[in-house]
Amino acid sequence: MRKLLLFLFFSGITIFGSYGQDIQIFNSENLLIPDNTVIKVYGNPSDGEIKSLLWIKNAGLRELSINVNKEVIQKVSESSNSFYWGSYIEQNEVSTFSLSLSPNQLSNDFSALYSPNLSKGTSQIKYSFYDKNNPQISTSVIFEFITDHSPNSLEGEAKMTLSNAYPNPAESMVYFDYTLQNQILEAKIIIRTLLGSIVAEHNLEGLQGKASINVEDLIEGIYFYSLVVESDIKLTKKLIVKH
């Protein structure tokens, strides 16, 4: 009897473990996102709406009816958040719409939406995707929206400017015009994925000039570029790569 109970116990673990693989999440770079991954999304308080797209896949053997649950872990008081799911913008904690996905079907019907409303700070929002008929089949992702800079963060810092990236969308090369202060020891431009991984960077030399970064090898999608001055991020904006 004891051996039988142990067998059933471990079998239950195996079955439960397989549930989490039935729903998979991918980012715009077609990279699989593990369960409970934290995705850092950078923006500015003056941004009207920050949008981050995810792809949801039914990796199981039967059709799933997928719902979304939103949990606000930490929120900047003035900010607001919602999500787009199955042609609906949802303000509630649980989606009112269930999206049916056949085995191996991939959907781009989810976007996390965040409005800073001119507020600085960090908000954490967890989204869980689960089968309506069997909630044990689920996976989650946590968005960390970071808006740490004032709407005019470079204003007031004399002689320090950074132009918008151009062209944007960028196909092979992207350019920036910049002006720095005399006392700055180190400055660079970095490009991050939606997950926060640095995929390119360029050290700025001289008090002014034109920086160029090759993005030809980057996968098409949405990125963020930042001006980093002596390890301090001064400005972050969105960059689109489209080949």
Side-chain angles (χ1 to χ4, degrees):
M1 175 63 72
R2 184 179 178 184
K3 291 183 178 179
L4 178 59
L5 290 175
L6 286 174
F7 172 77
L8 292 175
F9 176 76
F10 286 113
S11 297
I13 292 177
T14 303
I15 293 172
F16 180 78
S18 67
Y19 284 155
Q21 303 301 315
D22 287 352
I23 301 176
Q24 294 180 340
I25 304 174
F26 295 83
N27 65 9
S28 61
E29 302 168 31
N30 200 31
L31 295 176
L32 178 64
I33 300 174
D35 187 30
N36 278 322
T37 293
V38 177
I39 299 178
K40 296 181 182 293
V41 182
Y42 297 88
N44 294 299
S46 57
D47 293 337
E49 183 179 74
I50 302 172
K51 179 179 179 181
S52 191
L53 171 70
L54 292 179
W55 294 73
I56 312 301
K57 180 180 180 180
N58 177 1
L61 300 177
R62 64 179 182 83
E63 182 174 296
L64 298 179
S65 183
I66 300 178
N67 275 22
V68 182
N69 178 73
K70 180 184 74 172
E71 177 188 351
V72 178
I73 301 173
Q74 174 182 314
K75 177 180 176 293
V76 178
S77 58
E78 295 83 1
S79 67
S80 60
N81 62 83
S82 58
F83 61 96
Y84 175 87
W85 180 243
S87 302
Y88 294 90
I89 294 180
E90 302 276 5
Q91 303 286 346
N92 302 320
E93 293 182 356
V94 180
S95 61
T96 56
F97 178 82
S98 298
L99 184 64
S100 296
L101 293 181
S102 302
N104 209 38
Q105 183 178 354
L106 190 68
S107 171
N108 64 345
D109 283 334
F110 177 84
S111 296
L113 309 175
Y114 182 77
S115 298
N117 297 325
L118 300 179
S119 60
K120 296 194 296 181
T122 300
S123 295
Q124 280 192 335
I125 304 168
K126 180 177 181 178
Y127 291 97
S128 299
F129 304 86
Y130 63 94
D131 181 25
K132 179 181 179 181
N133 301 312
N134 188 354
Q136 284 185 320
I137 302 176
S138 67
T139 189
S140 302
V141 64
I142 299 172
F143 281 97
E144 192 171 89
F145 295 98
I146 303 171
T147 55
D148 283 340
H149 308 290
S150 63
N152 300 305
S153 58
L154 291 182
E155 291 183 11
E157 298 191 22
K159 298 182 180 179
M160 184 156 61
T161 62
L162 179 70
S163 71
N164 291 329
Y166 63 94
N168 192 3
E171 181 178 357
S172 57
M173 299 294 297
V174 61
Y175 302 94
F176 308 86
D177 298 322
Y178 67 90
T179 302
L180 302 176
Q181 293 174 295
N182 286 320
Q183 63 268 34
I184 290 176
L185 300 177
E186 181 187 46
K188 60 184 176 180
I189 297 171
I190 62 173
I191 298 178
R192 289 188 178 96
T193 67
L194 294 178
L195 293 176
S197 300
I198 297 176
V199 293
E201 62 180 87
H202 181 89
N203 292 320
L204 302 180
E205 299 179 357
L207 296 180
Q208 61 181 8
K210 179 178 180 178
S212 61
I213 298 179
N214 191 332
V215 296
E216 190 172 7
D217 293 333
L218 297 184
I219 299 173
E220 286 191 352
I222 298 174
Y223 297 82
F224 291 95
Y225 66 90
S226 301
L227 172 63
V228 182
V229 178
E230 297 176 353
S231 301
D232 184 23
I233 296 177
K234 295 296 184 180
L235 179 70
T236 298
K237 291 187 178 181
K238 183 166 65 175
L239 171 68
I240 298 174
V241 174
K242 188 174 183 181
H243 302 303

